[in-house]
Amino acid sequence: MGEHGTSEVLLWSSASVGGISVTDLLTQDGRSVEDTRGEIENDIRYANITIIEGTGASQYGIGAVSARLVEAVLRDERAVLPVAAYSSRYKVTLSLSSVLGAGGVQQMHVPTMTPEEHQALLESAQVLRDAAERAVAVATT
């Protein structure tokens, strides 16, 4: 949730696979949950660098995601995806769980999260607001 980048927020508290908490699944391999989470978070935050190192550019990842989003819009799937749109609640464009269909983002939902995850989302929103302010300042000078 939040920014797509280094301040993005991974909602470990509400993540599940097949109805099983991801945190519970992570304890089953004998590794430290904190170490595994840290490794996964790092891999996700810097995935673009891995893609660029492997292919020389990131257009393949961008293309795959763009194709999926276009498919959801054209088919009016009303798919729930972490899509960025303006949120009046956070006063910035950021990714939240959003319903995507023929009209674009039709609804945005804030998933259940821990107080720490919520604070991280507020911080991510601030990173985005700060970046927007810098962009406007450059554009108006």
Side-chain angles (χ1 to χ4, degrees):
M1 302 289 112
E3 175 204 17
H4 173 72
T6 57
S7 78
E8 67 190 58
V9 180
L10 284 77
L11 299 181
W12 291 102
S13 65
S14 59
S16 65
V17 176
I20 301 169
S21 161
V22 168
T23 305
D24 290 345
L25 290 172
L26 293 177
T27 63
Q28 294 178 7
D29 70 358
R31 293 181 58 199
S32 157
V33 172
E34 291 76 24
D35 289 346
T36 304
R37 280 179 47 175
E39 184 179 316
I40 291 169
E41 287 183 15
N42 186 68
D43 288 350
I44 290 170
R45 289 184 207 287
Y46 299 99
N48 65 322
I49 294 169
T50 303
I51 292 169
I52 291 168
E53 287 173 348
T55 64
S58 64
Q59 72 265 23
Y60 301 111
I62 295 166
V65 170
S66 297
R68 176 63 187 110
L69 297 177
V70 168
E71 184 177 58
V73 170
L74 290 177
R75 293 181 177 168
D76 194 20
E77 291 180 7
R78 299 186 53 80
V80 178
L81 300 165
V83 178
Y86 183 79
S87 167
S88 57
R89 179 177 185 169
Y90 294 100
K91 298 182 174 82
V92 71
T93 297
L94 77 166
S95 291
L96 291 172
S97 293
S98 301
V99 178
L100 185 63
V105 172
Q106 298 172 353
Q107 296 173 321
M108 295 180 81
H109 301 280
V110 178
T112 302
M113 59 186 90
T114 66
E116 295 81 14
E117 291 167 339
H118 184 254
Q119 182 60 40
L121 182 58
L122 293 174
E123 291 169 9
S124 184
Q126 187 61 52
V127 165
L128 291 166
R129 283 192 299 275
D130 291 347
E133 288 174 13
R134 286 192 306 274
V136 169
V138 167
T140 59
T141 58

